[in-house]
C-alpha cells in the first residue's frame, strides 16, 4: 500500500493494480492473525464480531430453507412501500457519513506519504 499498489492473487493469477482509491479489506478475525506491521498499513481498522446466537442462526437458516423451497409465506412482502421509502431515505443519510470517512482516510494516507517523503533524505548520485 505504501507503493500505491495492491497485489491480488486469485485462482493462480497474480495482478498488481494501482491503488488510486481506498482499500477495504475484510477477514474473519478468528481465522486471520495479522501482524502489527501489516495492521499498521491500514488507516482504519474496524472489528465486527459475530457473537454466536443459536436462535438467530436458526431463524436465518429456516428462512433460507423456506425461500429455496418456494413457500409463499417466505416470499411474502415484509415491508410496505412507505416503509421502504423511509428506509432508503435513512440509508442515504448514512452514505454521506461513509463518504466523509473515506475522504478522511484518503487525507490521512496522503499526509502520511507526505511525511514519509519529507523524512526521507534525497539520494545523491556519485560520479
Amino acid at each position: 500500500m505504501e507503493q500505491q499498489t495492491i497485489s491480488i492473487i486469485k485462482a493462480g493469477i497474480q495482478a498488481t493494480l494501482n491503488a488510486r482509491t481506498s482499500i477495504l479489506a475484510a477477514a474473519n478475525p478468528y481465522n486471520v492473525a495479522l501482524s502489527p506491521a501489516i495492521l499498521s498499513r491500514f488507516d482504519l481498522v474496524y472489528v465486527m464480531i459475530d457473537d454466536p446466537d443459536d436462535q438467530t442462526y436458526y431463524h436465518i437458516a429456516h428462512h433460507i430453507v423456506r425461500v429455496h423451497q418456494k413457500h409463499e409465506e417466505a416470499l411474502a412482502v415484509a415491508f410496505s412501500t412507505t416503509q421502504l421509502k423511509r428506509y432508503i431515505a435513512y440509508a442515504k443519510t448514512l452514505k454521506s457519513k461513509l463518504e466523509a470517512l473515506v475522504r478522511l482516510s484518503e487525507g490521512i494516507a496522503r499526509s502520511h506519504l507526505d511525511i514519509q517523503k519529507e523524512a526521507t533524505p534525497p539520494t545523491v548520485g556519485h560520479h
Side-chain angles (χ1 to χ4, degrees):
M1 286 179 277
E2 290 91 0
Q3 296 82 20
Q4 301 299 308
T5 61
I6 183 168
S7 295
I8 300 173
I9 300 171
K10 187 73 175 173
I13 299 172
Q14 180 177 354
T16 301
L17 306 172
N18 289 331
R20 294 187 184 129
T21 186
S22 297
I23 298 169
L24 175 65
N28 182 337
Y30 297 115
N31 294 339
V32 178
L34 297 175
S35 69
I38 299 236
L39 280 175
S40 70
R41 296 178 182 197
F42 291 92
D43 296 319
L44 297 173
V45 175
Y46 183 74
V47 178
M48 294 188 339
I49 296 177
D50 179 20
D51 291 324
D53 180 359
D54 290 342
Q55 187 175 12
T56 301
Y57 292 161
Y58 171 80
H59 288 297
I60 292 170
H62 186 68
H63 175 74
I64 291 170
V65 169
R66 287 191 318 176
V67 167
H68 285 284
Q69 291 175 343
K70 298 183 180 178
H71 288 152
E72 294 299 321
E73 182 182 329
L75 300 175
V77 178
F79 304 103
S80 69
T81 304
T82 304
Q83 288 172 317
L84 283 175
K85 286 180 180 179
R86 280 191 212 143
Y87 177 78
I88 291 169
Y90 173 72
K92 286 180 179 179
T93 67
L94 297 179
K95 180 183 175 193
S96 63
K97 292 176 185 175
L98 179 60
E99 288 171 350
L101 281 174
V102 169
R103 285 193 298 275
L104 175 63
S105 173
E106 290 170 347
I108 291 170
R110 272 190 235 104
S111 296
H112 182 69
L113 284 174
D114 291 343
I115 291 169
Q116 282 184 337
K117 287 178 185 175
E118 290 173 8
T120 306
T123 57
V124 178
H126 297 287
H127 296 286

